[in-house]
């Protein structure tokens, strides 16, 4: 088996791990006492930045600052995209429903594939387009019963939520263009820093209890900082649209953790739609595996 294929398998496992960690946000947030909205984004982003800073200090020591400089403008833009994703998610949830936000998030594979085709000149197989379409249908099925836009606030929320897949797809293109030559994990640190600074004035006065800060600290470390770093590593060995597709596992697993950890039984439509998304993801990877061995 070629070294390249072995690295690809490792990258798939890294993305599965990243999506699994991302999916824990919902069940963990059920245990928050008083923190809400912008303050959640602030603490989570702050601790994500601290976690990645710790990783960089451990790996590079005194070379921490030089690694930030080496990224140049690419790293700054990537950091901005991370910050937009961190901030738009919670902001959207204050304006519209989780279902509306999740459906907008599901546009990421389509937008990423389009940008890969236009910017990177990647050939996207027909089977991958089909997988993207099926995954999108599955996401719609999962949340169809909860979709609603009844006023201008809801429309604004969906527009804010659109920033998540837009920033995600731009970030993936940056990662694919530069991750082989520049370490872009420090951009995750910049994302946490930018997001925390942007949310700070909106978070005051702080209302989080000590329990809240501990939960949000754990989320910042293990639900943002670590999985985003894993995604950066994985992106070097996977196509951009594959990373975006595998990231949808987050939305599949979130209802499972809410069921197991908070007693929230998923609806039949959630299970059926999730099965369709999962079939699309597994089918796409099996197809790629067969191509590699033929």
């Amino acid at each position: 088996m070629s070294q390249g294929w072995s690295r690809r398998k490792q990258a798939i496992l890294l993305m599965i791990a990243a999506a699994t960690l991302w999916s824990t946000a919902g069940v963990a947030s059920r245990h928050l006492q008083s923190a809400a909205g912008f303050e959640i984004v602030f603490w989570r982003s702050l601790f994500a930045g601290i976690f990645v800073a710790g990783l960089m200090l451990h790996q590079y020591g005194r070379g921490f600052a030089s690694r930030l400089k080496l990224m140049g403008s690419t790293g700054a833009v990537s950091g901005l995209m991370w910050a937009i994703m961190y901030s738009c998610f919670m902001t959207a949830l204050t304006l519209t429903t989780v279902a509306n936000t999740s459906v907008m998030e599901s546009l990421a594979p389509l937008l990423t594939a389009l940008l890969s085709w236009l910017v990177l000149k990647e050939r996207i197989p027909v089977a991958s387009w089909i997988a993207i379409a099926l995954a999108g249908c599955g996401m719609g099925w999962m949340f169809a019963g909860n979709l609603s836009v009844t006023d201008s606030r809801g429309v604004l929320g969906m527009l804010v939520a659109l920033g998540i897949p837009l920033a995600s797809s731009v970030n993936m293109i940056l990662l694919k263009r530069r991750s082989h030559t520049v370490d872009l994990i420090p951009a995750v640190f910049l994302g946490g820093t930018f997001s925390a600074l942007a949310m700070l004035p909106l978070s005051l006065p702080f209302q989080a209890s000590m329990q809240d800060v501990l939960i949000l600290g754990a989320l910042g470390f293990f639900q943002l900082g670590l999985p985003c770093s894993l995604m950066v590593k994985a992106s070097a060995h996977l196509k951009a649209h594959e990373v975006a597709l595998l990231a949808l596992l987050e939305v599949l697993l979130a209802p499972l953790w809410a069921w197991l950890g908070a007693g929230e039984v998923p609806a039949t439509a959630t299970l059926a739609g999730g099965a369709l998304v999962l079939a699309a993801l597994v089918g796409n990877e099996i197809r790629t595996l067969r191509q590699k061995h033929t």
Side-chain angles (χ1 to χ4, degrees), residues 52 58 80 141 149 163 168 215 233 280 288:
V52 180
H58 175 72
L80 180 60
W141 194 353
V149 181
S168 175
I215 291 172
K233 288 288 188 183
T288 305

Side-chain angles (χ1 to χ4, degrees), residues 39-191:
E39 188 178 359
I40 293 176
V41 183
F42 168 76
W43 288 114
R44 202 173 59 138
S45 299
L46 176 66
F47 283 110
I50 291 172
F51 177 82
V52 180
L55 284 181
M56 293 169 61
L57 285 170
H58 175 72
Q59 185 169 358
Y60 306 124
R62 294 180 180 179
F64 177 96
S66 63
R67 286 286 169 171
L68 291 173
K69 293 179 181 179
L70 282 174
M71 294 191 301
S73 59
T74 299
V77 175
S78 179
L80 180 60
M81 294 302 105
W82 284 117
I84 289 173
M85 285 184 275
Y86 297 164
S87 303
C88 282
F89 179 72
M90 282 308 306
T91 303
L93 290 181
T94 65
L95 297 168
T96 189
T97 64
V98 173
N100 289 351
T101 303
S102 296
V103 168
M104 297 305 286
E105 279 188 280
S106 71
L107 294 173
L110 174 61
L111 294 176
T112 302
L114 288 172
L115 280 181
S116 297
W117 178 56
L118 292 171
V119 178
L120 301 179
K121 308 302 180 185
E122 282 188 357
R123 176 184 169 274
I124 310 297
V126 173
S128 290
W129 287 115
I130 293 173
I132 291 169
L134 286 176
C137 290
M139 290 287 290
W141 194 353
M142 286 180 71
F143 298 107
N146 296 314
L147 289 173
S148 63
V149 181
T150 57
D151 53 24
S152 59
R153 183 181 176 86
V155 173
L156 177 60
M158 294 192 74
L159 289 176
V160 171
L162 183 59
I164 304 169
L166 285 172
S168 175
S169 58
V170 170
N171 201 27
M172 277 309 312
I173 300 306
L174 291 172
L175 291 174
K176 288 305 298 179
R177 292 187 73 168
R178 295 300 304 277
S179 62
H180 289 287
T181 56
V182 179
D183 180 7
L184 287 177
I185 287 181
V188 181
F189 162 75
L190 290 181

Side-chain angles (χ1 to χ4, degrees), residues 127 131 134 276-290:
L134 286 176
L276 182 57
V277 176
L278 186 60
L281 301 183
V282 173
N284 189 62
E285 293 308 319
I286 289 176
R287 174 195 61 81
T288 305
L289 176 63
R290 287 177 175 174

Side-chain angles (χ1 to χ4, degrees), residues 15 22 65 83 89 92 149 195 197 215 227 233 238 270 280 286 293:
M15 275 307 304
W22 282 327
F89 179 72
V149 181
S195 178
L197 290 174
I215 291 172
K233 288 288 188 183
L238 297 172
T270 301
I286 289 176
H293 289 278

